[in-house]
Amino acid sequence: MKERGDIMKINQEMSVLPKSNEYDFYFGPCHPGSGNFGVKLKVKGEKIISALSDPGYLHRGFEKLMEYRLPLQNAMLSDRICVLESLAWNLVHAEAMEELMDLKIPERAKYIRVIMVELSRIQSHLIWWGVLSAGIGFDTGFKIAFGYRDYILDLFADITGGRVYPAGYICPGGLRRDFPMEIEEKIEKVLDKIHEAAKFIETGNPTFLARTKGIGVLKLENAISLGATGPVLRASGLKNDIRKDDPYEVYNRFDFEIPVREEGDIYSRYMIGLEEIKESVKIVKQALEDLPKGEVILPKFKKPKLNMKIKEGEVYVHNEIARGEGGMHITSNGGVRPYRVKVRGPSFSHMIPVLEYLLQGAEIADVPAIYWSLNVCPADLDR
Amino acid sequence: MTSDFKGEKIILEKIKREFGHKGIIQRAHRIWISIDKEELLDWAKWLKQEGFIHLSAISVSDWIEERKYKIAYLLWSFKDNVLLVLTAKIDRENPVVDSIIPVWGNNAQSHERENWEFFGINFKGNSNLIPLFTENWQGPPPFRKDFNWQEYVRDKYYNKENERERGYYED
Amino acid sequence: MEFGIVYHLFKNLFSKPMTVCFPYESIEIQKGYRGEHSYDRDMCISCGLCAKICPDKAIEMIEAPEEHKGKYPKKYPQIDLGKCCFCGFCEDICPKNCLKLTDNFFLSTFDKNSIIKIPFSEDKKGN
């Protein structure tokens, strides 16, 4: 039982503490809404004064590990750089090695690579919609997005042998296996289901609009000087796409559009994700119609070899992956293993300069919405 | 469809007129130029005016026999669709180079912090060099070729009683 | 006021769910899935290529125990399933096609001794 004297003492102590409403707040790595990444916020009341990013919880040392392995083993490692789009990083690594070794791969392999990468882009955008809805509080959207994503993962298990990690399916020299029989009808059925999912995403819920319009605005000159690429830059008004500006594989034979918006807030980034899903479905349909017959791998890469030398030189390759511009800069000094590999992930510029700029002046309740609308992947940043 | 490198040749002509220097066209959309480190800021300001407004990455590699670091700036132009790679060699024992934040903004800040932490390069003019990935790291910069990381991991983490770890640490 | 939600509620009452009740029924697993290894002891020539290509050092070449040394004089692969990443390079490089990946993925266990696959277990004929 508290005595009256104790209560008087507590009141006296509390009136001696400084009256302030400024404090530190960690939107941190042990939070279910932030992945493996922390942000340290300085908050006054409900408004944020400044933010400091705190990366490094997922650093596995890929750039050093790749110096000690053969190119075929690096193809297996490269799909673990970012788990949400493993086939896209497989393609970046395979293109860099092929340019260093001067190889020309067969036509059927190029068409199948484009089909796999576009399917991977669709499933990555479905995850983006799911976690953005969960960050706002719309939990049904999260469950529906992951339900539709599962149809694409079943296709990957048929073609490559694993649902999430294809274990170097796109390797230097071509592909590890050919398409199984009757897979083309299954792909067409899955594309019809994706149309259903896209119709669901388009509905205009007034709560969703109120929480996303006009919030987290990024203007064009700030976007360029802070290093944004990909959908974030297209939502701020600049029309750019590496698949059209610096074409790789067979993208220059297909007919597709590039969606651009002017406002730069969360709603425009969300609508660009939806329109990109529809464009990817168009590309897969065109590729399936023109698929040629033939081999899928060069003859000297059919059986793995332990001592194939790489020519001396350096090369930089960049691709338009789902999150932005992903690149690899590889240097070789004539040995069997690469000398130095540098991986440039799109989230390196989105999570450190752009996030710290956008969070200044925002409210605490908007932090998950702004964070997930940039389509971040902490694994790209830490490698 | 073969390209005749028209856009790239125009840029090389302008560079020859301004600096008297020759670059190499490696393939379509790629130009490689190697310069001395003292001219870095002049080149940077001129290239930014010409349309190279996006800095993709700053990448460093360690050439231990020549005793130099090779630092490469990868720049992309949205107007002409050309990627230009600017390389320079700096001394390995005392690496100092000018910072390019006045030209390319806060985007360059995080790249310079990463290379300061992993290679020990001092960027003059950047006042915010604090660690990005490591916490309380006291040893030498970890990506140098003379830092023996296998010995460090073996001394700190090898548990001799676990039979399954033997294949990784004793070979 | 939106009445569309009532329509969706009725439609979902009578439609098939997206999931299946897992331990009692499961979806079909196609052949080509990368699961546990199967090894044919009599066709192996002990070249050791599977141990050299493995990116995780999960395969180690060991000698046969005493009672089998007459018939199997050389070294044979022992696979540690805890380190394996199921990439399938050992299957591609084997010159006699005696190491293959099946589609068994129910590999979780409480018993630490069953993680390492020894090539000379008595009850099985080559697995």
Side-chain angles (χ1 to χ4, degrees), chain C residues 2-58:
Chain C
E2 290 262 345
F3 287 106
I5 188 170
V6 180
Y7 167 67
H8 278 294
L9 271 176
F10 265 126
K11 209 167 73 147
N12 286 340
L13 265 182
F14 300 109
S15 61
K16 206 161 87 83
M18 268 182 182
T19 54
V20 297
C21 291
F22 174 55
Y24 308 111
E25 38 180 290
S26 92
I27 56 176
E28 208 188 317
I29 301 176
Q30 303 291 336
K31 82 177 174 131
Y33 197 81
R34 285 177 271 120
E36 192 183 359
H37 307 76
S38 86
Y39 169 64
D40 188 353
R41 200 167 50 196
D42 295 313
M43 303 219 342
C44 177
I45 58 172
S46 302
C47 58
L49 281 174
C50 51
K52 287 187 191 149
I53 195 81
C54 177
D56 310 304
K57 298 193 187 166

Side-chain angles (χ1 to χ4, degrees), chain C:
Chain C
M1 166 113 177
E2 290 262 345
F3 287 106
I5 188 170
V6 180
Y7 167 67
H8 278 294
L9 271 176
F10 265 126
K11 209 167 73 147
N12 286 340
L13 265 182
F14 300 109
S15 61
K16 206 161 87 83
M18 268 182 182
T19 54
V20 297
C21 291
F22 174 55
Y24 308 111
E25 38 180 290
S26 92
I27 56 176
E28 208 188 317
I29 301 176
Q30 303 291 336
K31 82 177 174 131
Y33 197 81
R34 285 177 271 120
E36 192 183 359
H37 307 76
S38 86
Y39 169 64
D40 188 353
R41 200 167 50 196
D42 295 313
M43 303 219 342
C44 177
I45 58 172
S46 302
C47 58
L49 281 174
C50 51
K52 287 187 191 149
I53 195 81
C54 177
D56 310 304
K57 298 193 187 166
I59 302 187
E60 197 184 328
M61 307 296 283
I62 59 167
E63 294 194 349
E66 286 305 320
E67 58 264 20
H68 296 244
K69 260 211 170 123
K71 195 168 169 215
Y72 299 106
K74 305 187 204 168
K75 294 191 170 184
Y76 298 93
Q78 165 185 295
I79 305 174
D80 185 340
L81 287 174
K83 295 181 186 168
C84 176
C85 67
F86 300 98
C87 57
F89 290 150
C90 50
E91 178 188 20
D92 288 341
I93 203 176
C94 178
K96 294 287 176 188
N97 288 331
C98 59
L99 191 59
K100 293 197 192 315
L101 294 181
T102 60
D103 63 3
N104 173 26
F105 56 91
F106 295 103
L107 297 171
S108 315
T109 173
F110 284 108
D111 175 20
K112 265 198 192 159
N113 299 331
S114 62
I115 295 184
I116 303 190
K117 285 182 64 116
I118 304 179
F120 291 98
S121 352
E122 281 100 19
D123 48 355
K124 302 187 210 145
K125 232 198 214 173
N127 273 347

Side-chain angles (χ1 to χ4, degrees), chain A residues 9-19:
Chain A
K9 213 163 54 166
I10 293 175
N11 277 344
Q12 251 177 2
E13 279 171 2
M14 281 182 62
S15 62
V16 167
L17 288 171
K19 276 200 204 314

